[in-house]
Amino acid sequence: MKVKKRVIIYSLLAIIIIVSLLSFTAGNTPPEREITYRKFVEDVKAGKIDRVYLEDRDKLRGIYKNGDVFITDNPRKPSLKEELLLQGVKVEEKNGSFTAENILSFVLLIGLFVGIIYFLDRKSSRQTQNSMAKLSSVNVDDNSTVEVDFSSVAGNEEAKESVKELVDFIKNPKKYTKYGARLPRGIIFHGPPGTGKTLMAKALAGEAQVPFYAVSGSDFVQVYVGLGAGRIRDLFKKARQSGKCVIFIDEIDALGKKRSGGIDGGNDERDQTLNALLSEMSGFDENEGIVVIAATNRLDVLDDALLRPGRFDRHIEIGLPDVNGRLQILKLHSKNKPLDATVDLKELAEQTVFFSGAMLENLLNEAAILAAKRGSGTIKKSDIDKAFYTVVAGSEKKDRSSLIEKDKYITAYHEAGHALATRLLAPENRVTKVTIIPSTKGAGGFSMNIPPDRMYHSKRDMEKQIKICLAGRAAEELVFGRDGITTGASNDLEKATQIIVSLVKRFGMNNKAGMLNYDILYGSSEGIGDDIIIECRKQMEELYNSTKKVLKENLSLLHAIAQSLLEKETLDEQQLNEIIFAKAV
Ligand code: ADP
């Protein structure tokens, strides 16, 4: 846009110059008439000529008293001037087209253009200066009046406790420095995305009632070397001016990743930026009340230089919420939402294992949107169920008619197989939800089981896991026959293969393969030897057959669950347990 404007201005200028020069020459030199020297002498004698210019060696130019301009040969006679003067003709020894006024106006015109060009040039250089200044200054999210406090953060009690300590450090730094305590300058919040790291940093600023400056690590990694470092200095300058504050750098890994040290020599710009950050951090006094918080999803990728004492030496983990945390977050975010009495948040918290705080918030928000669209006054359980799939696996397919009945039937048995196998083979695992509603991401159904947390996994556990994976295919075979099996099991087979390969190759749990780590023997890139493949296949077949046997023995249960799934599409833990219990008695 700016470039276009300049092109237009310069073209206009060029046109003005050309036009004015043309009119200048055209206006000041009327057309010349060539006359013979004899005619010239006659006209001089006749007193018709006003003036003659003697500038050219070959030609004489002059003006008649009537204003006409003439040109004739110059006789180069030394006495010509005197003769002309004696005849009353004015004689000038320079070119007629450059009279004093002409020169003056020409000079003025040139002066005007020079002035305009100078003005434009200054303006554009000022613009460049401004844009350079803008580039090297960072766009901080300066939230001086933070209204978030610790009551806005639910769950994550341990992290909250650690952060609470910092409030006092910021408020009364002198209290600690008097005892010689070194206050933390840099803190790293690490954990998966959406777990509330930004929220926690904001709450810290809110509680301490200091300004909050939020930037992202990627803002500092620029194409031009040195620009990122400039931005860091600019950020700290701004922060210092405000006195006590919390600086939050999201995605610190963008600039603080471990230096590769490879042949490429690393990234100059990133190194400079990182060094600028470190020197700024060691530059401020410990009792200034400035705290820098950096957030990352992965602590292990950060450069050691960042983590040394006096830099980012405090690390606080902000992990995914547990069931209690999820319940607290759900409660917090449903405060301003009209939930129907049928909605049980506790149950929802149990069904949302591995959900982050952001996902939970999103879940309630999507449900609220669905309820608002329906206009029924409250958010129903069905709204939350629908929102669940939007959040987990893209949005629920709207056009249910497109679901061929047969597909629905297959999915029901497939998912019932997984659910039943889990309940029968691994009752310690919980099945919180089984469904046959497909999502746009293509997952046929959805069943979730929660294995209890363990440090070690036994061979039995791993085999159970494989069996649960294979149970979908086994159920299909039992109900639809050997040739009726479908592609629906592809993800399951992938997972089962992963487990069995590591069981045989890495954990020494197969008698034939023995207690050798085949990755070390062959290198993981070497692939798998034929003997290992044969062992894996054999073991997988045994596990599959045993899964099929268990399901066959409980075929009536499989039918009951599948039938119920066809009716209700989604079963929660309680409904599933009811079916199993009803059949058992
Ligand atoms: P992160 O910085 O870890 O990616 P955010 O702080 O940006 O996550 O979280 C995004 C949103 O998710 C928050 O604004 C908040 O609405 C919600 N949220 C996440 N964790 C929590 C929590 N523990 N308590 C309440 N809300 C949360």
Side-chain angles (χ1 to χ4, degrees):
M1 193 63 206
K2 262 180 196 155
V3 176
K4 246 185 178 174
K5 224 168 154 182
R6 258 168 92 161
V7 169
I8 292 170
I9 289 176
Y10 281 122
S11 330
L12 271 176
L13 253 178
I15 292 168
I16 292 171
I17 291 175
I18 291 165
V19 169
S20 16
L21 274 179
L22 278 178
S23 67
F24 180 82
T25 34
N28 288 286
T29 40
E32 298 167 337
R33 188 152 50 95
E34 180 109 33
I35 53 170
T36 59
Y37 187 67
R38 182 194 285 263
K39 168 112 176 67
F40 168 68
V41 174
E42 279 170 15
D43 286 347
V44 169
K45 281 187 186 147
K48 286 184 186 168
I49 290 180
D50 177 56
R51 68 182 65 197
V52 170
Y53 300 99
L54 288 180
E55 192 210 35
D56 200 331
R57 260 177 62 80
D58 297 326
K59 294 283 179 190
L60 278 183
R61 252 173 258 269
I63 302 172
Y64 281 103
K65 285 190 172 146
N66 66 3
D68 287 351
V69 179
F70 67 87
I71 185 164
T72 186
D73 288 322
N74 187 348
R76 295 184 206 151
K77 219 162 83 180
S79 58
L80 181 65
K81 184 171 177 182
E82 187 190 356
E83 283 168 21
L84 287 172
L85 288 172
L86 286 173
Q87 292 293 332
V89 178
K90 291 174 206 142
V91 179
E92 287 185 26
E93 296 201 31
K94 45 186 157 25
N95 199 310
S97 52
F98 285 91
T99 58
E101 322 81 90
N102 284 346
I103 290 169
L104 187 68
S105 59
F106 189 74
V107 167
L108 277 178
L109 200 67
I110 295 287
L112 182 72
F113 288 136
V114 170
I116 291 174
I117 287 168
Y118 176 71
F119 170 75
L120 284 175
D121 226 46
R122 254 189 43 166
K123 206 172 140 191
S124 75
S125 82
R126 216 179 304 135
Q127 266 174 358
T128 325
Q129 268 177 15
N130 280 350
S131 57
M132 277 312 280
K134 232 183 247 167
L135 271 177
S136 65
S137 88
V138 63
N139 205 1
V140 284
D141 182 4
D142 174 5
N143 220 334
S144 299
T145 48
V146 190
E147 274 162 21
V148 178
D149 57 21
F150 285 135
S151 67
S152 321
V153 188
N156 253 321
E157 292 307 327
E158 279 171 45
K160 216 151 74 175
E161 280 310 311
S162 316
V163 178
K164 270 181 184 161
E165 269 180 31
L166 300 170
V167 177
D168 206 35
F169 287 159
I170 299 177
K171 276 189 161 167
N172 311 303
K174 291 210 174 81
K175 181 169 125 190
Y176 296 88
T177 46
K178 233 176 21 196
Y179 288 87
R182 187 170 56 77
L183 298 188
R185 302 175 192 210
I187 297 127
I188 289 192
F189 285 174
H190 59 104
T195 43
K197 297 183 287 294
T198 316
L199 187 70
M200 192 79 92
K202 235 184 216 173
L204 169 64
E207 290 280 343
Q209 292 174 337
V210 296
F212 179 69
Y213 294 98
V215 290
S216 171
S218 51
D219 293 344
F220 297 104
V221 183
Q222 296 298 322
V223 196
Y224 309 109
V225 173
L227 215 54
R231 287 185 169 189
I232 290 274
R233 285 190 284 272
D234 186 64
L235 167 69
F236 277 82
K237 201 170 118 200
K238 271 186 197 152
R240 270 205 200 95
Q241 280 163 358
S242 68
K244 295 176 176 183
C245 66
V246 171
I247 299 176
F248 179 70
I249 307 176
D250 205 0
E251 299 172 39
I252 186 80
D253 26 321
L255 62 98
K257 258 211 190 105
K258 275 195 175 70
R259 291 172 232 210
S260 61
I263 336 158
D264 61 341
N267 179 332
D268 250 8
E269 161 63 359
R270 223 183 48 203
D271 289 356
Q272 276 200 20
T273 313
L274 184 59
N275 289 340
L277 173 66
L278 297 177
S279 73
E280 284 294 331
M281 281 186 65
S282 43
F284 61 77
D285 257 350
E286 275 157 10
N287 57 9
E288 263 181 85
I290 298 179
V291 168
V292 187
I293 295 178
T296 178
N297 300 341
R298 294 185 57 191
L299 195 58
D300 57 315
V301 300
L302 293 185
D303 198 302
D304 294 336
L306 260 179
L307 308 176
R308 277 189 209 125
R311 293 164 176 182
F312 289 97
D313 49 2
R314 262 205 191 201
H315 308 153
I316 297 178
E317 186 180 359
I318 303 196
L320 289 172
D322 58 9
V323 64
N324 194 31
R326 292 201 298 275
L327 181 61
Q328 302 306 324
I329 295 171
L330 286 170
K331 274 186 182 162
L332 184 80
H333 286 288
S334 57
K335 251 188 206 158
N336 58 349
K337 296 184 176 72
L339 286 188
D340 194 80
T342 54
V343 178
D344 181 353
L345 287 184
K346 196 156 180 290
E347 188 188 39
L348 187 58
E350 283 169 6
Q351 288 168 350
T352 45
V353 64
F354 301 139
F355 271 45
S356 66
M359 278 167 90
L360 292 172
E361 194 255 349
N362 196 8
L363 172 69
L364 290 176
N365 190 47
E366 291 289 333
I369 290 173
L370 289 173
K373 263 193 206 160
R374 233 169 1 94
S376 69
T378 54
I379 302 171
K380 297 224 158 48
K381 190 165 179 292
S382 56
D383 295 320
I384 293 186
D385 280 344
K386 273 190 196 143
F388 194 90
Y389 301 104
T390 317
V391 174
V392 171
S395 58
E396 182 189 1
K397 265 192 187 152
K398 270 199 186 134
D399 187 9
R400 286 178 185 223
S401 62
S402 70
L403 246 184
I404 307 166
E405 270 311 291
K406 178 80 182 161
D407 277 355
K408 207 168 148 183
Y409 201 64
I410 294 167
T411 316
Y413 274 99
H414 186 105
E415 296 305 321
H418 285 309
L420 183 59
T422 314
R423 299 300 295 137
L424 295 174
L425 300 168
E428 70 278 13
N429 287 14
R430 293 182 53 194
V431 180
T432 50
K433 200 151 194 158
V434 197
T435 178
I436 57 166
I437 296 176
S439 73
T440 45
K441 282 195 183 155
F446 191 82
S447 77
M448 199 182 260
N449 59 62
I450 317 164
D453 268 344
R454 295 230 184 99
M455 187 134 69
Y456 302 112
H457 293 281
S458 65
K459 183 180 173 211
R460 200 181 304 114
D461 285 341
M462 290 171 79
E463 286 180 344
K464 275 184 198 168
Q465 212 54 50
I466 295 172
K467 283 182 183 173
I468 293 171
C469 288
L470 296 177
R473 165 63 60 86
E476 285 182 28
E477 194 192 321
L478 279 176
V479 180
F480 310 116
R482 270 202 86 76
D483 295 333
I485 54 174
T486 71
T487 52
S490 83
N491 274 343
D492 303 334
L493 294 185
E494 195 182 315
K495 228 158 102 190
T497 309
Q498 263 169 8
I499 303 175
I500 203 144
V501 167
S502 42
L503 195 143
V504 175
K505 263 177 85 183
R506 291 173 54 209
F507 302 129
M509 289 177 178
N510 177 286
N511 288 340
K512 199 91 183 264
M515 277 186 282
L516 290 175
N517 184 317
Y518 284 77
D519 287 345
I520 289 180
L521 271 184
Y522 298 128
S524 50
S525 57
E526 284 284 308
I528 306 173
D530 282 349
D531 46 343
I532 298 292
I533 295 181
I534 291 169
E535 271 317 297
C536 289
R537 211 160 56 199
K538 222 175 100 194
Q539 201 168 345
M540 189 82 103
E541 206 166 304
E542 281 166 17
L543 292 170
Y544 179 70
N545 287 334
S546 119
T547 314
K548 220 163 58 180
K549 187 165 166 269
V550 172
L551 291 184
K552 203 171 173 183
E553 286 163 7
N554 293 277
L555 205 56
S556 61
L557 263 180
L558 186 73
H559 284 307
I561 298 170
Q563 211 51 48
S564 188
L565 271 175
L566 282 169
E567 263 168 45
K568 302 196 173 87
E569 296 193 338
T570 304
L571 298 178
D572 61 19
E573 187 173 29
Q574 200 187 348
Q575 289 164 319
L576 184 67
N577 285 344
E578 272 166 16
I579 298 170
I580 294 173
F581 184 71
K583 281 277 165 188
V585 282

